[in-house]
Short mmCIF file of all heavy atoms in Angstrom, two decimals:
data_model
loop_
_atom_site.label_atom_id
_atom_site.label_comp_id
_atom_site.label_asym_id
_atom_site.label_seq_id
_atom_site.Cartn_x
_atom_site.Cartn_y
_atom_site.Cartn_z
N ALA A 288 1.07 -11.42 -1.50
CA ALA A 288 0.71 -11.18 -2.90
C ALA A 288 1.45 -12.13 -3.82
O ALA A 288 0.86 -12.68 -4.77
CB ALA A 288 0.99 -9.73 -3.28
N ASP A 289 2.74 -12.35 -3.57
CA ASP A 289 3.52 -13.28 -4.40
C ASP A 289 2.93 -14.69 -4.36
O ASP A 289 2.99 -15.41 -5.35
CB ASP A 289 4.98 -13.31 -3.95
CG ASP A 289 5.77 -12.11 -4.43
OD1 ASP A 289 5.31 -11.40 -5.36
OD2 ASP A 289 6.86 -11.88 -3.87
N ALA A 290 2.37 -15.06 -3.23
CA ALA A 290 1.82 -16.41 -3.08
C ALA A 290 0.49 -16.60 -3.79
O ALA A 290 0.15 -17.71 -4.18
CB ALA A 290 1.66 -16.73 -1.59
N VAL A 291 -0.29 -15.51 -3.95
CA VAL A 291 -1.65 -15.68 -4.48
C VAL A 291 -1.87 -15.08 -5.87
O VAL A 291 -2.82 -15.45 -6.54
CB VAL A 291 -2.71 -15.10 -3.53
CG1 VAL A 291 -2.67 -15.79 -2.17
CG2 VAL A 291 -2.59 -13.60 -3.38
N ARG A 292 -1.02 -14.18 -6.29
CA ARG A 292 -1.32 -13.49 -7.55
C ARG A 292 -0.98 -14.35 -8.76
O ARG A 292 0.03 -15.05 -8.77
CB ARG A 292 -0.65 -12.14 -7.61
CG ARG A 292 0.82 -12.12 -7.82
CD ARG A 292 1.31 -10.70 -7.72
NE ARG A 292 2.59 -10.55 -8.39
CZ ARG A 292 3.20 -9.42 -8.52
NH1 ARG A 292 2.68 -8.32 -8.03
NH2 ARG A 292 4.35 -9.36 -9.12
N PRO A 293 -1.82 -14.27 -9.77
CA PRO A 293 -1.57 -15.04 -10.99
C PRO A 293 -0.48 -14.38 -11.84
O PRO A 293 -0.17 -13.20 -11.66
CB PRO A 293 -2.92 -14.98 -11.72
CG PRO A 293 -3.57 -13.73 -11.23
CD PRO A 293 -3.10 -13.56 -9.81
N GLN A 294 0.09 -15.15 -12.76
CA GLN A 294 1.13 -14.64 -13.67
C GLN A 294 0.57 -13.54 -14.57
O GLN A 294 1.24 -12.57 -14.86
CB GLN A 294 1.67 -15.80 -14.53
CG GLN A 294 2.72 -15.39 -15.53
CD GLN A 294 4.06 -15.07 -14.90
OE1 GLN A 294 4.35 -15.55 -13.81
NE2 GLN A 294 4.87 -14.28 -15.57
N VAL A 295 -0.67 -13.70 -14.99
CA VAL A 295 -1.33 -12.73 -15.87
C VAL A 295 -2.32 -11.93 -15.03
O VAL A 295 -3.13 -12.51 -14.30
CB VAL A 295 -2.04 -13.44 -17.04
CG1 VAL A 295 -2.84 -12.46 -17.87
CG2 VAL A 295 -1.02 -14.17 -17.91
N GLY A 296 -2.26 -10.61 -15.13
CA GLY A 296 -3.20 -9.76 -14.40
C GLY A 296 -2.98 -9.75 -12.90
O GLY A 296 -3.93 -9.61 -12.13
N GLY A 297 -1.74 -9.83 -12.47
CA GLY A 297 -1.45 -9.96 -11.05
C GLY A 297 -1.43 -8.69 -10.24
O GLY A 297 -1.54 -8.74 -9.01
N PHE A 298 -1.31 -7.52 -10.87
CA PHE A 298 -1.19 -6.29 -10.09
C PHE A 298 -2.35 -6.04 -9.13
O PHE A 298 -2.10 -5.66 -7.98
CB PHE A 298 -1.00 -5.05 -11.00
CG PHE A 298 -0.98 -3.79 -10.20
CD1 PHE A 298 0.12 -3.44 -9.43
CD2 PHE A 298 -2.10 -2.96 -10.15
CE1 PHE A 298 0.12 -2.29 -8.65
CE2 PHE A 298 -2.10 -1.81 -9.37
CZ PHE A 298 -0.99 -1.48 -8.62
N PRO A 299 -3.60 -6.25 -9.52
CA PRO A 299 -4.68 -6.01 -8.55
C PRO A 299 -4.54 -6.83 -7.26
O PRO A 299 -4.95 -6.39 -6.19
CB PRO A 299 -5.95 -6.38 -9.32
CG PRO A 299 -5.58 -6.13 -10.75
CD PRO A 299 -4.13 -6.55 -10.85
N TYR A 300 -3.94 -8.01 -7.34
CA TYR A 300 -3.74 -8.85 -6.16
C TYR A 300 -2.67 -8.25 -5.25
O TYR A 300 -2.81 -8.23 -4.03
CB TYR A 300 -3.37 -10.28 -6.58
CG TYR A 300 -4.50 -10.97 -7.29
CD1 TYR A 300 -4.70 -10.79 -8.65
CD2 TYR A 300 -5.40 -11.76 -6.58
CE1 TYR A 300 -5.76 -11.40 -9.30
CE2 TYR A 300 -6.46 -12.37 -7.22
CZ TYR A 300 -6.64 -12.18 -8.58
OH TYR A 300 -7.70 -12.78 -9.21
N LEU A 301 -1.59 -7.75 -5.86
CA LEU A 301 -0.59 -7.05 -5.07
C LEU A 301 -1.19 -5.82 -4.41
O LEU A 301 -1.01 -5.60 -3.21
CB LEU A 301 0.59 -6.64 -5.97
CG LEU A 301 1.63 -5.71 -5.32
CD1 LEU A 301 2.27 -6.36 -4.10
CD2 LEU A 301 2.66 -5.28 -6.34
N ALA A 302 -1.94 -5.05 -5.18
CA ALA A 302 -2.55 -3.83 -4.64
C ALA A 302 -3.50 -4.15 -3.48
O ALA A 302 -3.50 -3.45 -2.47
CB ALA A 302 -3.28 -3.08 -5.75
N GLU A 303 -4.27 -5.21 -3.61
CA GLU A 303 -5.21 -5.56 -2.54
C GLU A 303 -4.46 -6.04 -1.29
O GLU A 303 -4.84 -5.69 -0.16
CB GLU A 303 -6.20 -6.63 -3.01
CG GLU A 303 -7.23 -7.03 -1.96
CD GLU A 303 -8.10 -5.88 -1.45
OE1 GLU A 303 -8.18 -4.80 -2.08
OE2 GLU A 303 -8.72 -6.06 -0.38
N ALA A 304 -3.39 -6.81 -1.46
CA ALA A 304 -2.60 -7.24 -0.32
C ALA A 304 -1.99 -6.03 0.39
O ALA A 304 -1.98 -5.96 1.63
CB ALA A 304 -1.51 -8.21 -0.75
N LEU A 305 -1.51 -5.07 -0.37
CA LEU A 305 -0.96 -3.85 0.21
C LEU A 305 -2.05 -3.07 0.95
O LEU A 305 -1.83 -2.61 2.07
CB LEU A 305 -0.31 -2.98 -0.86
CG LEU A 305 0.94 -3.54 -1.52
CD1 LEU A 305 1.35 -2.67 -2.70
CD2 LEU A 305 2.08 -3.69 -0.53
N ARG A 306 -3.21 -2.93 0.30
CA ARG A 306 -4.32 -2.18 0.92
C ARG A 306 -4.72 -2.82 2.24
O ARG A 306 -4.89 -2.13 3.25
CB ARG A 306 -5.52 -2.12 -0.03
CG ARG A 306 -6.63 -1.17 0.46
CD ARG A 306 -7.89 -1.34 -0.36
NE ARG A 306 -8.52 -2.64 -0.13
CZ ARG A 306 -9.20 -2.98 0.97
NH1 ARG A 306 -9.36 -2.10 1.96
NH2 ARG A 306 -9.72 -4.17 1.10
N GLN A 307 -4.84 -4.15 2.26
CA GLN A 307 -5.23 -4.85 3.49
C GLN A 307 -4.18 -4.72 4.58
O GLN A 307 -4.50 -4.83 5.76
CB GLN A 307 -5.52 -6.32 3.20
CG GLN A 307 -6.81 -6.52 2.42
CD GLN A 307 -7.10 -7.99 2.13
OE1 GLN A 307 -6.43 -8.89 2.62
NE2 GLN A 307 -8.14 -8.22 1.33
N ALA A 308 -2.93 -4.46 4.19
CA ALA A 308 -1.85 -4.29 5.17
C ALA A 308 -1.72 -2.84 5.65
O ALA A 308 -0.82 -2.53 6.42
CB ALA A 308 -0.53 -4.75 4.56
N GLY A 309 -2.61 -1.96 5.18
CA GLY A 309 -2.60 -0.58 5.65
C GLY A 309 -1.90 0.41 4.75
O GLY A 309 -1.70 1.56 5.14
N VAL A 310 -1.52 -0.01 3.54
CA VAL A 310 -0.91 0.92 2.59
C VAL A 310 -2.05 1.72 1.95
O VAL A 310 -3.04 1.14 1.49
CB VAL A 310 -0.09 0.18 1.52
CG1 VAL A 310 0.47 1.16 0.50
CG2 VAL A 310 1.04 -0.62 2.17
N THR A 311 -1.91 3.04 1.91
CA THR A 311 -2.94 3.88 1.30
C THR A 311 -2.53 4.39 -0.07
O THR A 311 -3.38 4.55 -0.95
CB THR A 311 -3.28 5.08 2.20
OG1 THR A 311 -2.09 5.84 2.44
CG2 THR A 311 -3.89 4.62 3.52
N ARG A 312 -1.24 4.65 -0.24
CA ARG A 312 -0.73 5.17 -1.52
C ARG A 312 0.68 4.63 -1.75
O ARG A 312 1.42 4.37 -0.80
CB ARG A 312 -0.63 6.70 -1.50
CG ARG A 312 -1.92 7.42 -1.41
CD ARG A 312 -1.76 8.95 -1.53
NE ARG A 312 -0.66 9.56 -0.81
CZ ARG A 312 -0.69 9.94 0.46
NH1 ARG A 312 -1.77 9.74 1.19
NH2 ARG A 312 0.35 10.53 1.03
N CYS A 313 1.03 4.54 -3.02
CA CYS A 313 2.40 4.21 -3.42
C CYS A 313 2.80 5.24 -4.47
O CYS A 313 1.99 5.62 -5.31
CB CYS A 313 2.49 2.84 -4.07
SG CYS A 313 1.74 1.50 -3.18
N ARG A 314 4.05 5.65 -4.41
CA ARG A 314 4.58 6.59 -5.41
C ARG A 314 5.91 6.06 -5.91
O ARG A 314 6.76 5.69 -5.10
CB ARG A 314 4.78 7.97 -4.80
CG ARG A 314 3.50 8.64 -4.38
CD ARG A 314 3.80 10.05 -3.89
NE ARG A 314 2.63 10.57 -3.24
CZ ARG A 314 2.66 11.29 -2.13
NH1 ARG A 314 3.81 11.59 -1.56
NH2 ARG A 314 1.55 11.74 -1.59
N MET A 315 6.08 6.08 -7.22
CA MET A 315 7.32 5.63 -7.84
C MET A 315 7.99 6.80 -8.54
O MET A 315 7.35 7.48 -9.34
CB MET A 315 7.04 4.53 -8.85
CG MET A 315 8.18 4.21 -9.81
SD MET A 315 9.65 3.52 -9.04
CE MET A 315 9.32 1.79 -9.18
N ALA A 316 9.25 7.04 -8.23
CA ALA A 316 10.09 7.97 -8.98
C ALA A 316 10.83 7.12 -10.00
O ALA A 316 11.77 6.41 -9.65
CB ALA A 316 11.04 8.72 -8.06
N VAL A 317 10.38 7.15 -11.24
CA VAL A 317 10.86 6.20 -12.24
C VAL A 317 12.36 6.29 -12.51
O VAL A 317 13.04 5.26 -12.46
CB VAL A 317 10.01 6.29 -13.53
CG1 VAL A 317 10.61 5.44 -14.65
CG2 VAL A 317 8.57 5.86 -13.25
N PRO A 318 12.94 7.46 -12.80
CA PRO A 318 14.37 7.47 -13.12
C PRO A 318 15.26 6.90 -12.00
O PRO A 318 16.23 6.21 -12.27
CB PRO A 318 14.70 8.94 -13.35
CG PRO A 318 13.40 9.61 -13.57
CD PRO A 318 12.36 8.79 -12.89
N SER A 319 14.88 7.16 -10.76
CA SER A 319 15.67 6.65 -9.64
C SER A 319 15.22 5.26 -9.20
O SER A 319 15.90 4.61 -8.40
CB SER A 319 15.60 7.60 -8.45
OG SER A 319 14.27 7.69 -7.98
N ASN A 320 14.08 4.80 -9.70
CA ASN A 320 13.52 3.49 -9.35
C ASN A 320 13.33 3.39 -7.84
O ASN A 320 13.67 2.38 -7.22
CB ASN A 320 14.40 2.36 -9.89
CG ASN A 320 13.69 1.03 -9.94
OD1 ASN A 320 12.47 0.95 -9.82
ND2 ASN A 320 14.44 -0.03 -10.13
N ALA A 321 12.79 4.45 -7.26
CA ALA A 321 12.54 4.49 -5.82
C ALA A 321 11.03 4.51 -5.58
O ALA A 321 10.31 5.30 -6.18
CB ALA A 321 13.18 5.72 -5.20
N MET A 322 10.57 3.63 -4.71
CA MET A 322 9.15 3.52 -4.39
C MET A 322 8.93 4.00 -2.96
O MET A 322 9.71 3.67 -2.06
CB MET A 322 8.69 2.08 -4.52
CG MET A 322 7.21 1.87 -4.29
SD MET A 322 6.15 2.51 -5.61
CE MET A 322 6.27 1.19 -6.78
N LEU A 323 7.88 4.79 -2.78
CA LEU A 323 7.46 5.23 -1.45
C LEU A 323 6.10 4.63 -1.18
O LEU A 323 5.16 4.81 -1.96
CB LEU A 323 7.37 6.76 -1.38
CG LEU A 323 6.78 7.33 -0.09
CD1 LEU A 323 7.73 7.07 1.09
CD2 LEU A 323 6.49 8.81 -0.24
N TYR A 324 5.99 3.89 -0.09
CA TYR A 324 4.72 3.31 0.35
C TYR A 324 4.25 4.12 1.55
O TYR A 324 4.95 4.20 2.56
CB TYR A 324 4.89 1.85 0.75
CG TYR A 324 5.31 0.96 -0.39
CD1 TYR A 324 6.65 0.73 -0.66
CD2 TYR A 324 4.35 0.35 -1.19
CE1 TYR A 324 7.03 -0.10 -1.71
CE2 TYR A 324 4.73 -0.47 -2.24
CZ TYR A 324 6.07 -0.69 -2.49
OH TYR A 324 6.44 -1.50 -3.53
N VAL A 325 3.07 4.71 1.46
CA VAL A 325 2.49 5.45 2.56
C VAL A 325 1.53 4.50 3.26
O VAL A 325 0.54 4.05 2.67
CB VAL A 325 1.77 6.72 2.06
CG1 VAL A 325 1.14 7.47 3.23
CG2 VAL A 325 2.73 7.61 1.29
N THR A 326 1.83 4.20 4.53
CA THR A 326 1.03 3.23 5.28
C THR A 326 0.48 3.87 6.54
O THR A 326 0.97 4.92 6.98
CB THR A 326 1.88 1.99 5.69
OG1 THR A 326 2.63 2.30 6.86
CG2 THR A 326 2.82 1.55 4.58
N ASP A 327 -0.50 3.22 7.13
CA ASP A 327 -1.06 3.75 8.38
C ASP A 327 -0.09 3.57 9.55
O ASP A 327 -0.31 4.10 10.63
CB ASP A 327 -2.44 3.16 8.68
CG ASP A 327 -2.46 1.65 8.77
OD1 ASP A 327 -1.38 1.01 8.81
OD2 ASP A 327 -3.56 1.08 8.78
N ALA A 328 1.01 2.84 9.33
CA ALA A 328 2.03 2.67 10.37
C ALA A 328 3.27 3.53 10.07
O ALA A 328 4.26 3.43 10.77
CB ALA A 328 2.43 1.21 10.47
N GLY A 329 3.20 4.35 9.01
CA GLY A 329 4.32 5.22 8.64
C GLY A 329 4.78 4.93 7.23
O GLY A 329 4.52 3.87 6.68
#
């Protein structure tokens, strides 16, 4: 995603790269700045 996404409007490119890698959901706990990626590999 870092290699292909544009500076403006880049989130959809990150999301698509994650989706293609088997990520189904992401959850962010904002105060703790902790991200959980739910993938088909765990």
